[in-house]
Amino acid sequence: MEPPHVPDVDGRTGATDDGTERIGPYRVLAPWDGDGAAEDARRRLARDDRTGRIVVLTLPQPALAEDPAYRVRFRAEAENSRRLTGRWTARVADIAPADAPLAWVAHDCFPALTLPAALAAHGGPLPEPVVRALGAALAETLAGAHAGGLVHAGMSPSAVLLTSDGPRLTGYGLVRAAALDRSERAGPCGVDPTALPPEQRAGEWPRPPGDVYALGAVLAYAATGRPSGDIGALPQTLREAITPCLSADPAHRPRPAALLQALRTPAGSGCGLPEAIATALAEQVARYPMEAVPDATESTGRDEARRASRRSLAIGGLAGLAGLVLGSGGVAVWRATADEGPTRRAPLSVRGTAPAPLWRRDIDFGLEGPPVLAGGNVALMAGGSAVTAVRLRDGKKLWTRENMWPSQTLMPLAGGLFLSSRAGMAESEFAAVSTRTGKVTWTERRYDDGKLPAFLGPLATRGNTLWFMAGKSEGDRVKTMVIAYDLEKREELWRTPLPSGGSADDEESPGVLSGGALIVENNGPPGSGFLRTEGKTWSYAALRQRDGKKLWTRDYEGVSAEFQGAFRTVAPGDLLIASDDKAVRAHDLTSGKRRWRFTTKGYMYTKPAIRGRTLCVTDEDSVTYAVDTRTGHPRWRRGAAVEPQGEMRYSETVISHAGRTVLQVNTGEIEALNAADGSLRWRFAPVGSGQGAGGFSGYVDTAPGMAVVVNGSSLYALPVD
């Protein structure tokens, strides 16, 4: 017997040999948005030709299906939904390939009914215990998502599915996919307008309180069978819990954890599925039975088929038992508050498509450097004569302030402050500014080369101490020194001269605090450029933090102080890491002895990234190398997926805060690599409305759980690790 025809799994639509519609590897069986659904319904029941199992396919609305930007957003949201690993989320079985002409996502949740279909089968609103169990399950799901930095932005009655062993939530990211922020969303395609929070209708980017509003709308619909605006129809016992969710003011809505507690029901309260709904689920299985797949099918497919077959047989038995047990409480204990939920398989590891941004913020002025992350919760963005602060948690702009000398270094300080400074021999000052409000707390103007030496630039800070480089004019020379300054008392603690102090080039480099010492460059007076460093090797000086005593100075053989475009940094393990041309060198910081040398194939134009014992660097050909800092031995190397462009091709490398993801940044996009082996996790390129993926020109930094990306005037937060 010949095996059945299996169409190519290429994400394209077409027809099978029997004339039925095919989407990717799936044969479409029927529309799935309720009886009498139109042919352009968003979802289909379909059979996987590889395994025989039935899935629910979600498709774009026809009005959006041809928009390439929407397809990118739709697929990114689907990929990101895999991070929702709670027991009440529908498992993503498959997603359309990136080059598929039609976007789709397949959920493994058959048999199931949408909430409207369940109410239709039941003949009216659900019983209160079932509504409470449903609400508790969905509130638990939202609490877990929000704790992981995710906003669902797609909950509605049609996105909630009822199965025999509990609800399943779909629809992740439909609001974000359908319409960009700052655009009206009174009724975006694929989103139930009754579940859309007022602030999102006005164009605000989705936030956690919006999910709570949508949940309130879902529960109001489940309890009344009417749109959420009809609060008066709610049973009195549910009104107290649901009404606050529908507040027009997001600040007045409860958190999901509080709502979960308010909806909990005591054991034995009769929250099993109503008989009519359970019968409808059993009829789905009878109408679309499992199909066997020949043994010649790939082993992974056989495993999937066996799992699907066992599930179908177990639920198929409901058809014969319905008249005996369904009327006494349903086929399962349908309770979101049970200690154990249904068995869930781990989400598949899908590579290639970037996660949806947690948020995006447009900056109103041109940016002149990377973001400065203060306290792990605020990004300071500088450009021209302005600085703006953006909260990392949700992308909210906290403030914008003019005349803050942003071209100089912004340095986070203790106590919720940051340093804003203007440096130079002719005119210099520095100020402490509130990170939360942007208000100047105090300004220090005495270090101006009058009675006190001129402030030349900050070096480091810890607690209430700021260390900075200063200079005193002596004829045509500048006498350089390091000054320790008490930020609380606003007084000098000590100063130590450095006859050869300062940077070898025109930019002051930060100092490093290590083992009770301040490590500073010792390569020539500021402003001397490279004229007085010819033939000089790189030098560091170590000063004791508490009193400025000089502990040692060290030169590092083979590390030049005059090579333009070279990078040097102090790394964990008492190392000086230096890179120039095609070589990366490591020296013992204290003794100056060279430990190892590593070479790349192409030239390096950007500095290495170091996190823990891993060093990563990217060369001109966008090849990224990972090196063990203890030995200098390479761990892996990987070329970029996109061919770099230009004569001097720019690439740089960033390692995530947790050290598990390497971000390779080039002029085309950002690639996220697994730090353990260099394998691709995802690729990110900004996409505008109605456009394809564009180029990248900006900066990347990392904070706990996210990558902070500046591209042009836009600031993104991408989830990592």
Side-chain angles (χ1 to χ4, degrees):
M1 178 178 177
E2 294 184 0
H5 170 69
V6 178
D8 294 335
V9 183
D10 61 358
R12 293 177 170 81
T13 58
T16 58
D17 290 341
D18 60 6
T20 58
E21 181 186 6
R22 177 171 63 83
I23 299 177
Y26 299 99
R27 281 183 290 139
V28 175
L29 303 176
W32 192 74
D33 280 288
D35 292 337
E39 286 302 312
D40 63 351
R42 290 189 60 255
R43 287 183 283 195
R44 308 280 200 275
L45 280 181
R47 190 185 306 280
D48 188 340
D49 283 320
R50 301 163 298 183
T51 65
R53 78 179 188 271
I54 307 296
V55 300
V56 176
L57 283 179
T58 299
L59 312 172
Q61 288 285 355
L64 296 173
E66 298 303 318
D67 184 345
Y70 173 80
R71 289 201 299 269
V72 172
R73 295 195 300 269
F74 182 94
R75 190 170 187 276
E77 297 292 348
E79 293 285 5
N80 209 28
S81 71
R82 295 179 187 272
R83 298 178 60 206
L84 292 172
T85 56
R87 53 183 172 170
W88 309 118
T89 56
R91 189 183 75 86
V92 176
D94 206 355
I95 295 174
D99 59 349
L102 178 67
W104 51 262
V105 57
H107 286 102
D108 184 9
C109 54
F110 177 84
L113 295 174
T114 64
L115 188 55
L119 265 64
H122 181 59
L126 299 179
E128 179 181 338
V130 177
V131 175
R132 286 185 173 274
L134 172 66
L138 298 178
E140 177 185 305
T141 300
L142 291 185
H146 296 171
L150 300 175
V151 177
H152 186 274
M155 184 182 296
S156 69
S158 295
V160 175
L161 313 182
L162 304 191
T163 75
S164 61
D165 55 0
R168 295 293 185 270
L169 182 58
T170 65
Y172 181 89
L174 287 179
V175 173
R176 288 185 295 259
L180 297 175
D181 58 328
R182 296 188 177 181
S183 59
E184 185 179 356
R185 300 188 184 95
C189 291
V191 181
D192 187 337
T194 65
L196 197 64
E199 66 273 16
Q200 289 179 24
R201 294 176 205 164
E204 288 295 319
W205 195 246
R207 304 283 188 262
D211 283 347
V212 176
Y213 183 97
L215 175 53
V218 166
L219 298 182
Y221 173 79
T224 67
R226 304 176 186 177
S228 60
D230 192 2
I231 301 298
L234 282 169
Q236 184 62 39
T237 50
L238 285 173
R239 193 176 303 167
E240 184 177 347
I242 295 176
T243 301
C245 300
L246 298 172
S247 172
D249 186 347
H252 293 163
R253 299 171 198 159
R255 292 180 180 273
L259 183 60
L260 173 60
Q261 293 299 322
L263 291 170
R264 284 188 185 276
T265 56
S269 59
C271 60
L273 275 178
E275 178 179 349
I277 296 176
T279 300
L281 292 173
E283 290 174 349
Q284 274 192 358
V285 177
R287 190 179 306 125
Y288 304 108
M290 178 71 184
E291 286 188 357
V293 176
D295 291 340
T297 306
E298 189 176 324
S299 60
T300 55
R302 291 201 305 269
D303 292 341
E304 290 283 353
R306 282 195 290 266
R307 283 193 287 266
S309 178
R310 286 194 294 269
R311 177 176 171 84
S312 297
L313 289 174
I315 299 177
L318 300 180
L321 296 175
L324 297 177
V325 302
L326 296 183
S328 60
V331 299
V333 179
W334 204 77
R335 186 189 307 281
T337 55
D339 292 336
E340 294 182 0
T343 302
R344 303 293 304 278
R345 284 175 288 175
L348 302 177
S349 176
V350 177
R351 298 168 180 170
T353 297
L358 301 174
W359 50 261
R360 189 190 73 197
R361 166 65 60 183
D362 291 334
I363 308 300
D364 297 332
F365 52 83
L367 303 177
E368 295 182 353
V372 176
L373 306 185
N377 52 28
V378 174
L380 301 173
M381 313 298 302
S385 61
V387 174
T388 193
V390 176
R391 190 164 62 191
L392 292 178
R393 183 176 76 245
D394 53 14
K396 178 182 179 181
K397 186 176 77 171
L398 300 178
W399 51 265
T400 297
R401 187 178 179 88
E402 300 286 343
N403 302 319
M404 293 186 66
W405 323 298
S407 59
Q408 300 295 330
T409 301
L410 301 177
M411 176 178 284
L413 304 174
L417 302 173
F418 70 93
L419 188 78
S420 176
S421 61
R422 175 171 54 178
M425 296 303 299
E427 189 176 15
S428 62
E429 58 186 89
F430 56 90
V433 186
S434 169
T435 302
R436 184 176 63 87
T437 66
K439 293 182 179 179
V440 175
T441 302
W442 51 260
T443 301
E444 175 62 84
R445 296 186 175 91
R446 293 176 295 170
Y447 290 89
D448 61 357
D449 201 22
K451 292 183 178 180
L452 295 177
F455 173 86
L456 298 179
L459 292 170
T461 182
R462 176 176 292 169
N464 289 324
T465 303
L466 167 70
W467 292 270
F468 62 86
M469 188 69 72
K472 188 70 174 174
S473 299
E474 293 186 351
D476 59 352
R477 291 178 54 86
V478 176
K479 181 180 180 181
T480 56
M481 63 198 72
V482 174
I483 292 179
Y485 181 89
D486 190 309
L487 293 167
E488 186 175 32
K489 298 179 181 179
R490 295 181 56 192
E491 63 182 27
E492 187 174 311
L493 298 174
W494 54 258
R495 69 176 67 176
T496 297
L498 288 177
S500 299
S503 172
D505 55 21
D506 293 332
E507 294 186 4
E508 205 63 51
S509 296
V512 177
L513 301 176
S514 176
L518 170 68
I519 313 297
V520 296
E521 291 185 24
N522 192 42
N523 295 300
S528 63
F530 298 89
L531 298 178
R532 302 182 61 181
T533 58
E534 185 176 356
K536 178 177 172 56
T537 58
W538 185 264
S539 178
Y540 271 132
L543 309 179
R544 195 156 60 191
Q545 293 177 23
R546 68 171 185 267
D547 57 12
K549 180 181 178 181
K550 189 179 295 183
L551 301 177
W552 48 259
T553 58
R554 192 73 61 230
D555 294 340
Y556 303 89
E557 184 179 356
V559 181
S560 173
E562 63 176 316
F563 186 85
Q564 299 190 48
F567 300 94
R568 301 95 176 172
T569 186
V570 174
D574 197 35
L575 289 177
L576 163 65
I577 302 293
S579 64
D580 58 65
D581 199 356
K582 299 180 180 181
V584 181
R585 301 175 179 84
H587 288 73
D588 186 279
L589 189 64
T590 305
S591 69
K593 181 180 179 181
R594 193 173 83 179
R595 292 196 184 175
W596 50 261
R597 182 175 183 270
F598 174 82
T599 59
T600 58
K601 184 178 180 180
Y603 289 95
M604 294 175 287
Y605 299 128
T606 55
K607 64 183 178 181
I610 302 171
R611 184 79 67 179
R613 294 176 175 175
T614 300
L615 176 150
C616 290
V617 67
T618 303
D619 68 13
E620 62 177 335
D621 297 318
S622 291
V623 176
T624 299
Y625 305 79
V627 180
D628 189 323
T629 60
R630 295 167 297 182
T631 63
H633 294 158
R635 293 177 175 174
W636 51 262
R637 56 175 287 178
R638 187 185 188 281
V642 177
E643 181 69 21
Q645 302 294 323
E647 295 181 359
M648 181 179 287
R649 294 169 292 195
Y650 172 85
S651 294
E652 72 173 287
T653 317
V654 180
I655 303 177
S656 68
H657 197 271
R660 294 193 289 269
T661 303
V662 178
L663 302 171
Q664 193 252 55
V665 186
N666 56 55
T667 55
E669 61 182 11
I670 301 171
E671 292 191 10
L673 312 177
N674 187 327
D677 59 12
S679 58
L680 178 67
R681 286 186 166 168
W682 45 260
R683 295 163 54 193
F684 173 80
V687 177
S689 179
Q691 300 172 359
F696 178 82
S697 176
Y699 310 93
V700 178
D701 205 342
T702 63
M706 69 173 64
V708 182
V709 179
V710 177
N711 185 58
S713 61
S714 295
L715 181 65
Y716 297 83
L718 300 178
V720 295
D721 299 336

